[in-house]
Amino acid sequence: MKYLVVGLGNIGEEYTGTRHNIGFSILNKLNQRHDSNFDLEKQAEVSSFGLKGKKINLIKPSNYVNNSGKAVNFWLQKKGIKKENMLVILDDLALPFGKIRIKKGGSHGGHNGLKSINEHLGDNNYPRLRFGIGDSFSQGRQSNYVLGKFNSEENKELDLHIDHSCDAIESFILQGLEKTMNTYN
């Protein structure tokens, strides 16, 4: 059984550690857990490892969040992975900081990464893990907030929340979507 785990984020040093790049941060931690390395390949940084007989492929698209659907579609096809065995990791303004929500399908909720994936796959019927970044920004400052770094209070708990997200990803792979939703939502 093969899986594709997609972390959404923007490439470039200036985006490292930003709220919008939480998908990259979570995949970096998961990759580290399994002693694997990312290599830059076509349209993404890619890593693979085994987990209890299952083949896990991680990708961090290299064509920015708002065009990440192109890389997702390419790697799904290249690896021959079904959409139900894909999990997309993204930031979510509608959830409190650190809270995660796992589900299959649903709207893009204004997230340009999901919009792009929906366009390239032709539907929105795939699992995703939304990581709450909160909404502590003034009117008109959403972009600055999303592209900003976590504050000192958030940083105190960030590693714990990232580990929790990695546990949820492993549960999705080993236990399936329903059990993972019941455990982590």
Side-chain angles (χ1 to χ4, degrees):
M1 188 77 72
K2 295 187 283 189
Y3 290 84
L4 183 67
V5 183
V6 179
L8 296 185
N10 286 320
I11 57 169
E13 200 58 41
E14 68 271 27
Y15 297 110
T16 301
T18 63
R19 292 178 180 92
H20 211 33
N21 272 36
I22 193 65
F24 282 11
S25 299
I26 292 169
L27 286 200
N28 288 342
K29 180 64 156 197
L30 186 61
N31 198 45
Q32 187 179 28
R33 247 189 209 189
H34 294 280
D35 276 337
S36 195
N37 294 304
F38 280 103
D39 293 311
L40 186 58
E41 296 191 32
K42 188 170 182 179
Q43 299 187 39
E45 286 186 48
V46 181
S47 176
S48 300
F49 57 86
L51 180 63
K52 296 188 179 181
K54 300 179 191 293
K55 178 78 170 176
I56 315 309
N57 300 279
L58 307 180
I59 68 164
K60 298 187 297 184
S62 57
N63 36 13
Y64 294 98
V65 171
N66 60 358
N67 199 23
S68 50
K70 190 174 179 183
V72 171
N73 190 41
F74 173 82
W75 285 98
L76 271 177
Q77 304 299 319
K78 181 175 173 79
K79 296 290 185 178
I81 297 171
K82 298 181 227 161
K83 278 188 288 193
E84 58 266 20
N85 287 351
M86 174 180 75
L87 184 65
V88 177
I89 318 300
L90 65 140
D91 58 300
D92 192 328
L93 286 164
L95 292 173
F97 168 72
K99 183 163 180 57
I100 62 173
R101 173 107 1 99
I102 301 159
K103 70 179 201 165
K104 183 176 182 181
S107 83
H108 55 69
H111 195 284
N112 289 330
L114 288 183
K115 281 182 193 175
S116 176
I117 293 169
N118 294 350
E119 287 171 17
H120 282 86
L121 298 185
D123 69 46
N124 64 355
N125 198 22
Y126 53 87
R128 69 273 318 258
L129 182 155
R130 294 176 179 261
F131 183 100
I133 60 169
D135 61 357
S136 303
F137 56 90
S138 316
Q139 188 172 354
R141 307 291 294 167
Q142 178 176 328
S143 182
N144 290 356
Y145 179 78
V146 168
L147 295 175
K149 305 221 183 232
F150 290 100
N151 66 37
S152 58
E153 280 303 303
E154 292 167 332
N155 273 320
K156 289 178 188 173
E157 299 174 17
L158 188 59
D159 282 343
L160 261 152
H161 293 307
I162 288 175
D163 276 329
H164 184 68
S165 298
C166 290
D167 294 343
I169 294 166
E170 290 175 352
S171 172
F172 167 76
I173 292 161
L174 299 173
Q175 308 285 324
L177 181 63
E178 293 302 319
K179 277 190 177 180
T180 300
M181 288 168 59
N182 289 336
T183 302
Y184 289 89
N185 284 352

